[in-house]
Amino acid sequence: QVQLKESGGGSVQAGGSLTLSCAAAGYILRNGCLAWFRQTPGKEEREGVAAIDSEETITYASSVKGRFTISKDDANDTLYLQMTNLKPEDTAMYYCAADRPGRVEAETMIEPDFEAWGQGIQVTVSS
């Protein structure tokens, strides 16, 4: 059974930085697709933020490109999301997700594309 657990969230002022981590248990990160999504209050669907597919192609949503960096540590089965120059509109619950090998892109991926999810972690950016 795959278990994903996020850490590293918190509150920061606009322009600040945070790095989220996602530790995987029962899953080998190098094998499949990995992603970060976020969800803001009042929205029913989670928004794709960044993804690494099984060919290790990295993509980002246009809203975070140039500010966020997704990476993974295969040796420790940990996925990261480095967030810089944070804006109040980045405030959301952030989720990591994993799935079988395949191709995904951050702008077009949706929740049903991923089988395993973390419980989410809050990021709050104040102006």
Side-chain angles (χ1 to χ4, degrees):
Q1 183 178 359
V2 177
Q3 292 185 335
L4 303 175
K5 184 173 177 60
E6 302 93 342
S7 61
S11 297
V12 65
Q13 289 192 328
S17 300
L18 282 174
T19 297
L20 304 182
S21 300
C22 174
Y27 184 83
I28 301 174
L29 292 192
R30 69 177 70 90
N31 286 354
C33 295
L34 305 165
W36 289 95
F37 284 77
R38 65 187 181 186
Q39 187 170 22
T40 53
K43 286 194 174 180
E44 290 188 4
E45 294 180 349
R46 296 173 184 176
E47 171 194 21
V49 174
I52 303 177
D53 70 18
S54 54
E55 295 189 11
E56 307 220 347
T57 299
I58 292 176
T59 56
Y60 298 95
S62 56
S63 59
V64 306
K65 198 169 186 178
R67 300 188 298 120
F68 290 13
T69 302
I70 187 172
S71 62
K72 63 189 178 96
D73 180 347
D74 287 340
N76 293 301
D77 287 325
T78 303
L79 179 70
Y80 300 98
L81 184 68
Q82 183 180 6
M83 305 182 292
T84 63
N85 191 21
L86 282 160
K87 304 176 180 181
E89 52 264 42
D90 295 318
T91 295
M93 187 75 78
Y94 283 73
Y95 298 87
C96 63
D99 200 50
R100 293 177 294 274
R103 303 295 302 273
V104 290
E105 293 187 9
E107 284 281 11
T108 58
M109 63 188 183
I110 56 176
E111 291 178 64
D113 291 336
F114 291 84
E115 187 173 345
W117 291 85
Q119 81 286 354
I121 194 159
Q122 180 66 37
V123 171
T124 302
V125 184
S126 58
S127 56

